[in-house]
Amino acid sequence: MRSGFFLFKQIRDYLYRINMKKIRAAITAVGGYLPEDRMTNADLEKIVDTNDEWITSRTGIKERRILKGEGQGSSVIAIEAVKQILEKRNINPDEIDLLICATTTPDYVFPATANVIADKCGLINAFSYDISAACSGFLYSLTTGSQFIETGKYKKVIVVGVDKMSSIINYEDRTTCIIFGDGGGAVLLEPTTEDLGIVDSILKSDGSGRKHLYQKAGGSVKPATVETVQNKEHSVYQEGQTVFKFAVTNMADVAYEIMERNSLGADDVAWLVPHQANKRIIDATRKRMGVSEDKVMVNIHKYGNTTNGTLPLCLWEYENQMKKGDNIILAAFGGGFTWGATYIKWAYDPK
Ligand code: UT7
């Protein structure tokens, strides 16, 4: 009798499971923020030995934004982006379950910048933490955030990508100071049982690449001393050409891999959202995927490389051009090395 009931229960649970629609995480709102101050190529010509022609042809960058003012950290940018989301969707801050912040330039070594953002935005019921994966941080965080939604336990998750790169740039080093800028954005993730949302992600890392792109001092290996400050070791160290080679190959390959894995042809892709590190890397990725130029989100000319900020800032700027059901591929490569691609079916039409 007992075993009969047990069998019945097993069959009932099985039928329930196969009928139950899978919960996916959908991006349901986007926010973004850029500081007002602009640093143009002409401004940089006055500081280092460079010129507009070199910067434009090698990177595609014309200007970038800089967050100025005492005591202004990355959270200042993120807070604006998060508040936009709450206002747009008329959501009470206490409804947010979790906030993940992807950043390479946290307000403090600890606590997490996510804690600062959550506090200042009044997210009193959210737990919050940072993810550090350099330029791929937003993709890593988006994937992590989506898993919390997919379990069915969490209903509203905010994922932030933000950096105040000007805080770790040596403005005497012409090979790095021309590239980076400040800015960031955020997305809201909510559950959906429609055929929409974050469908697939491929995330990769190879720590043996760390020596080509990193900040030498300020961590536990080399805490700050007078010498580390004098030697400018608290700023970005990058071997540009080496990073370029890895970025071109890996970002393009992983973007192509996620298309293949999901049986997407170039015509099926509505948008490519590439990390904005260098226009030449963006072009290489686009060509490998076979998609036309009009399908690529590009704003590197205006903002430079905002590290964790590039992907959400693209989504924010192009929000009104994306349609419900659009197949969107996000791709990134950065320090670590870290890289990856995410396939999203966009969940809403322009407002
Ligand atoms: O987002 C994180 C991941 N980062 C990236 O994806 C960045 C990847 N790397 C790059 O985007 C490029 O390597 C850079 C934009 C950083 C540099 O471009 P490049 O075409 O690789 O230039 P290069 O380093 O090979 O330098 C070429 C020349 C050198 O002069 P010589 O040795 O040929 O005489 C440099 O000294 O350009 C010189 N140079 C500059 N000239 C004018 C380097 N920086 C500058 C500058 N202005 N700002």
Side-chain angles (χ1 to χ4, degrees), residues 219-288:
S220 52
V221 168
K222 206 173 197 186
T225 62
V226 172
E227 284 74 32
T228 63
V229 174
Q230 282 169 346
N231 296 338
K232 311 255 183 211
E233 290 176 309
H234 295 267
S235 47
V236 173
Y237 168 82
Q238 176 171 259
E239 292 159 15
Q241 269 187 21
T242 310
V243 178
F244 185 89
K245 279 181 203 145
F246 276 96
V248 159
T249 317
N250 288 315
M251 198 165 117
D253 281 356
V254 77
Y256 184 72
E257 190 183 336
I258 207 161
M259 281 174 69
E260 270 209 315
R261 190 156 103 170
N262 290 279
S263 308
L264 294 173
D267 291 342
D268 301 318
V269 175
W271 292 101
L272 163 64
V273 192
H275 172 50
Q276 311 280 305
N278 187 315
K279 182 65 167 57
R280 289 183 287 149
I281 300 172
I282 295 173
D283 289 341
T285 305
R286 175 185 75 73
K287 283 181 189 153
R288 178 91 165 86

Side-chain angles (χ1 to χ4, degrees), residues 125-137:
N125 291 321
F127 70 107
S128 54
Y129 61 90
D130 288 356
I131 283 185
S132 170
C135 298
S136 309

Side-chain angles (χ1 to χ4, degrees), residues 44 48-52 54-55 57-59 61 134-136 165 173-180 213 238-248 251 275-281 305-307 310 333-335 337:
L44 284 162
V48 289
D49 180 15
T50 191
N51 57 76
D52 176 53
W54 192 95
I55 302 172
S57 61
R58 299 284 176 135
T59 70
I61 303 167
C135 298
S136 309
M165 292 306 291
D173 175 7
R174 68 175 182 169
T175 67
T176 52
C177 72
I178 51 122
I179 299 170
F180 294 97
L213 175 55
Q238 176 171 259
E239 292 159 15
Q241 269 187 21
T242 310
V243 178
F244 185 89
K245 279 181 203 145
F246 276 96
V248 159
M251 198 165 117
H275 172 50
Q276 311 280 305
N278 187 315
K279 182 65 167 57
R280 289 183 287 149
I281 300 172
N305 181 351
T306 56
T307 304
T310 62
F333 181 90
F337 292 134

Side-chain angles (χ1 to χ4, degrees), residues 6-22:
F6 186 65
L7 185 66
F8 163 76
K9 196 170 167 298
Q10 273 191 324
I11 293 169
R12 189 194 62 191
D13 287 353
Y14 172 72
L15 289 174
Y16 177 71
R17 272 203 308 276
I18 58 170
N19 274 325
M20 206 172 64
K21 285 199 170 157
K22 184 178 162 28

